[in-house]
Amino acid sequence: MAIAKRCAPDAEEDPWDAHSTIMTWASSILLAIIFLIVLGVSTIWLTVHPRQLQYAVEDVLVSNFHLDLNRSHLVTANFSIKMSTNNSNHRVTFTYESMNVSVKIRDRILASANGPPLFHDKDKFKEFRVNLTSNNVELHGSTLKALKETNSLEGIKINVIIEARVKFKALHWKQDHCRIQIFCGEVEAHSQGKAFKQTNCDVEL
Ligand SMILES: *[C@@H]1O[C@H](CO)[C@@H](O)[C@H](O)[C@H]1NC(C)=O
Ligand SMILES: *[C@@H]1O[C@H](CO)[C@@H](O)[C@H](O)[C@H]1NC(C)=O
Ligand SMILES: *[C@@H]1O[C@H](CO)[C@@H](O)[C@H](O)[C@H]1NC(C)=O
Ligand SMILES: *[C@@H]1O[C@H](CO)[C@@H](O)[C@H](O)[C@H]1NC(C)=O
Ligand SMILES: *[C@@H]1O[C@H](CO)[C@@H](O)[C@H](O)[C@H]1NC(C)=O
């Protein structure tokens, strides 16, 4: 009774005070949590310091090109594509779990193939080759017109697109999976004996 008597008036006397005390507590706790999260994230950021992978197309060799104008404009060709990539991260390694490489003219997929399994160590430069085959791909419109004119893929702008699923590992303890999209636009294929201009790619991690 004595306690109830003492407490009841107190609470009634100053309800606002109690309320604001709780508010102060809650906001301090919230601030502390935010502070810890920011601290944690910036610690990881500073120790891992992620840098974007760099990609370039080193070569696109076309052979076996054939445009069949008799049967609904079908194209056949072999592509041998050489890619190079830099991992300039000092502490992050990448393991490619799957890689899908495709060659497109505008929005039309000419060929696609799986890339090699890769392990990309920290601070390393790496090259790999992917061979693709277009087998009777039907073409239309301006793409077909351009190919008819030259009757080769020489000088035709193609896009090389790579979609990969990778596991990245930082400092032995942090690892995760992610998707990488590599887009190499305005690539000019060449045939045997002709020069190729190295083309840089956009990378989205
Ligand atoms: C990788 O780094 C080397 C040396 O810095 C550079 O010459 C090359 O162009 C880079 N490659 C890519 C694909 O960025
Ligand atoms: C083109 O690719 C196909 C299928 O991979 C292969 O059988 C053929 O030998 C290749 N032709 C040339 C000229 O490379
Ligand atoms: C297209 O058809 C003509 C006549 O039917 C034939 O002589 C020619 O060899 C065919 N061309 C191709 C590329 O198949
Ligand atoms: C690669 O991806 C393209 C488009 O998403 C798909 O059409 C193709 O079948 C895939 N190729 C392989 C070899 O998985
Ligand atoms: C890809 O094609 C190139 C040129 O045609 C050939 O030298 C190379 O051996 C081929 N690589 C694979 C993995 O088939």
Side-chain angles (χ1 to χ4, degrees):
M1 274 310 263
I3 291 168
K5 257 183 193 157
R6 212 176 291 153
C7 280
D10 265 6
E12 268 164 24
E13 246 170 39
D14 212 343
W16 180 245
D17 209 30
H19 187 62
S20 66
T21 307
I22 289 167
M23 288 293 280
T24 313
W25 264 99
S27 57
S28 318
I29 289 169
L30 197 67
L31 270 177
I33 289 170
I34 290 170
F35 177 73
L36 285 176
I37 289 172
V38 168
L39 192 72
V41 168
S42 43
T43 308
I44 290 170
W45 185 265
L46 284 175
T47 48
V48 172
H49 191 51
R51 283 181 213 177
Q52 190 63 276
L53 293 169
Q54 294 175 302
Y55 265 86
V57 187
E58 297 295 332
D59 189 28
V60 179
L61 178 66
V62 184
S63 58
N64 204 21
F65 176 81
H66 179 65
L67 182 62
D68 188 344
L69 294 172
N70 284 1
R71 291 186 301 132
S72 52
H73 323 306
L74 303 177
V75 75
T76 302
N78 288 21
F79 299 90
S80 184
I81 300 179
K82 189 168 145 196
M83 302 291 305
S84 72
T85 171
N86 278 333
N87 175 11
S88 42
N89 289 289
H90 303 317
R91 293 185 181 85
V92 189
T93 64
F94 295 86
T95 307
Y96 288 71
E97 296 175 315
S98 71
M99 188 194 287
N100 176 333
V101 183
S102 35
V103 171
K104 280 189 179 182
I105 293 190
R106 308 231 165 100
D107 280 337
R108 192 88 183 132
I109 296 181
L110 277 189
S112 81
N114 292 320
L118 276 185
F119 171 70
H120 203 173
D121 210 351
K122 48 190 189 285
D123 299 312
K124 283 286 192 304
F125 172 76
K126 204 151 189 127
E127 289 183 324
F128 59 93
R129 201 174 263 281
V130 184
N131 290 349
L132 308 92
T133 307
S134 330
N135 197 5
N136 291 333
V137 178
E138 202 174 337
L139 293 177
H140 306 278
S142 53
T143 309
L144 177 66
K145 197 160 165 267
L147 280 182
K148 267 185 189 167
E149 274 165 17
T150 55
N151 197 32
S152 87
L153 276 166
E154 202 86 38
I156 303 276
K157 300 263 198 303
I158 59 167
N159 298 326
V160 176
I161 295 148
I162 300 179
E163 281 173 10
R165 194 177 152 71
V166 300
K167 185 168 86 184
F168 66 88
K169 205 168 184 182
L171 301 169
H172 306 293
W173 50 268
K174 169 88 179 103
Q175 67 174 49
D176 211 340
H177 299 265
C178 68
R179 288 190 172 281
I180 305 183
Q181 279 223 349
I182 299 139
F183 180 84
C184 321
E186 307 271 291
V187 182
E188 280 185 37
H190 75 116
S191 49
Q192 197 75 50
K194 303 272 178 64
F196 180 80
K197 195 168 108 262
Q198 189 202 50
T199 313
N200 289 325
C201 307
D202 293 327
V203 181
E204 256 180 64
L205 198 65

